[in-house]
Amino acid sequence: MVGIKDVAKRAGVSIGTVSNVVNRPHVVATATRNRVLSVIEELGYVRDESARQLRAGRSRIMGLLVLDLGNPFFVDVARGAEQAAHAEGLNIITCNSGQRSDLEASYLAMFAEQRVRGVLLSPVATSGEALRAFRRSGTPYVFVDRKAPASEASSVAVDDIAGGALAARHLLETGHHRIAFVNGPAILAQCRDREQGVRTALAGSTAELTVLEAIGLDVASGRDAGARLLGTSPRPTAVFCANDLLALGLLQAMVGAGVRVPEEMAIVGYDDIEFAGAAAVPLTSVRQPARRLGRTAAELLLAETADTTVERQAVVFTPELVVRESTRVRR
């Protein structure tokens, strides 16, 4: 790699002059500055930003580790976090655990080794050796899309119990009494909370609840759940899915089997990603403010890294039901 010494030698100036051209160009005479810039372009010199940050003892990089970058919800979370980081002159490295604890551990170790400013974390689980080891590194972190005790770390989440209850009550109010809930992996607290909300809303009603656990939280898992539901008798007349990707896969399975939505089966998703409203049958969904989640979490992390005495917070947003054609009122 071309170093600052190489640039100084070729330009016939001191290392300090090259440093000034890169960091404080206004203090260098125009002719000298232009000569150094010409050499920098010729040699392809790139400043070693990581070394500079380590010398300063303050990184300009934040880490973001999410469960699934294939889910547009987390893409929007990342956009919100980037908005807050860029406003403060920082950048974000985004990584995808794929809901795998081993990948999560690897990325957390990398963030600690790189001495990032802090990490925004949507964890597979809030316990385990990987997270314990990361805590020992002393790197600040904030949970995103996951509640945490304020004494442990700040967190930003949506009330998923309330969200699950919203969906279930909507299906009851539209006349459904055989309801299925297609959940994701039980290791994820979000999935457990949404199921708890469903059960709470249906308690005391005459509705029959069927719960299916999908392998993942993607479209393929939704199609698989749809195939399983098609084989049940009597078949549920309404299905709530733990996220929109599951719901879109389920919708594909129903349309492919000739089941009319919502006349024969109503479908509700969760997250309200952009594709939900653009589906062949526009999807009713429980909306999470994804960008606001990411932005708020980044702001909390920035505040904590600027002042270690800042009190930790547990921010919880209220979800909203967006009703579309997939649950049109039954006649």
Side-chain angles (χ1 to χ4, degrees):
M1 293 180 64
V2 176
I4 193 170
K5 292 180 180 180
D6 302 307
V7 175
K9 182 178 180 181
R10 178 70 65 90
V13 299
S14 68
I15 292 174
T17 298
V18 177
S19 177
N20 282 335
V21 169
V22 173
N23 298 299
R24 299 188 300 158
H26 61 281
V27 304
V28 183
T30 302
T32 303
R33 183 171 68 243
N34 290 340
R35 184 167 76 254
V36 172
L37 289 173
S38 177
V39 171
I40 285 174
E41 183 177 358
E42 175 191 345
L43 298 182
Y45 168 73
V46 178
R47 179 173 63 183
D48 188 346
E49 180 65 16
S50 61
R52 190 180 75 87
Q53 291 175 17
L54 286 177
R55 286 194 298 272
R58 197 162 183 79
S59 172
R60 292 176 56 247
I61 301 294
M62 292 169 58
L64 170 63
L65 180 55
V66 300
L67 292 170
D68 182 11
L69 275 177
N71 186 341
F73 167 75
F74 286 111
V75 175
D76 282 340
V77 168
R79 286 172 176 161
E82 285 177 343
Q83 182 182 19
H86 290 170
E88 297 298 322
L90 305 181
N91 292 308
I92 287 186
I93 296 176
T94 302
C95 299
N96 175 38
S97 72
Q99 302 171 38
R100 288 174 48 185
S101 298
D102 58 333
L103 279 180
E104 180 178 271
S106 175
Y107 283 128
L108 287 175
M110 182 270 290
F111 284 142
E113 290 167 0
Q114 295 298 319
R115 302 184 188 180
V116 297
R117 176 77 63 94
V119 175
L120 305 174
L121 174 61
S122 182
V124 176
T126 54
S127 60
E129 181 53 37
L131 195 51
R132 285 194 293 271
F134 184 66
R135 290 191 189 104
R136 289 195 292 270
S137 76
T139 306
Y141 64 95
V142 170
F143 284 142
V144 187
D145 192 38
R146 177 67 63 88
K147 298 175 185 176
S151 59
E152 176 185 325
S154 290
S155 62
V156 182
V158 168
D159 189 341
D160 285 315
I161 295 176
L166 268 178
R169 282 197 298 268
H170 173 64
L171 293 176
L172 280 177
E173 291 165 359
T174 50
H176 295 281
H177 298 283
R178 293 198 305 276
I179 298 172
F181 175 53
V182 177
N183 205 355
I187 190 174
L188 299 177
Q190 297 95 318
C191 293
R192 297 195 301 271
D193 285 351
R194 290 166 198 177
E195 180 175 340
Q196 182 181 338
V198 171
R199 293 186 181 278
T200 299
L202 298 185
S205 74
T206 59
E208 300 174 10
L209 176 64
T210 301
V211 177
L212 279 70
E213 183 176 326
I215 297 173
L217 285 164
D218 52 23
V219 172
S221 297
R223 285 195 296 265
D224 174 71
R228 290 153 64 189
L229 284 173
L230 286 169
T232 61
S233 181
R235 184 187 301 160
T237 62
V239 183
F240 168 43
C241 297
N243 78 353
D244 284 340
L245 296 183
L246 284 173
L248 290 170
L250 182 78
L251 176 61
Q252 288 181 6
M254 295 303 111
V255 171
V259 176
R260 294 175 300 159
V261 177
E263 291 83 0
E264 295 177 86
M265 183 175 287
I267 302 175
V268 179
Y270 203 104
D271 291 337
D272 195 33
I273 62 175
E274 184 177 353
F275 302 123
V281 180
L283 191 67
T284 293
S285 184
V286 177
R287 176 178 292 168
Q288 297 199 84
R291 292 199 185 194
R292 193 176 176 193
L293 280 169
R295 185 174 67 250
T296 303
E299 289 169 349
L300 289 178
L301 184 58
L302 288 166
E304 186 173 327
T305 57
D307 181 0
T308 56
T309 64
V310 169
E311 187 175 338
R312 290 171 176 165
Q313 300 182 51
V315 179
V316 180
F317 292 110
T318 302
E320 172 191 358
L321 183 70
V322 180
V323 179
R324 299 190 179 96
E325 288 299 305
S326 68
T327 59
R328 191 173 65 237
V329 176
R330 305 181 81 199
R331 294 181 181 276

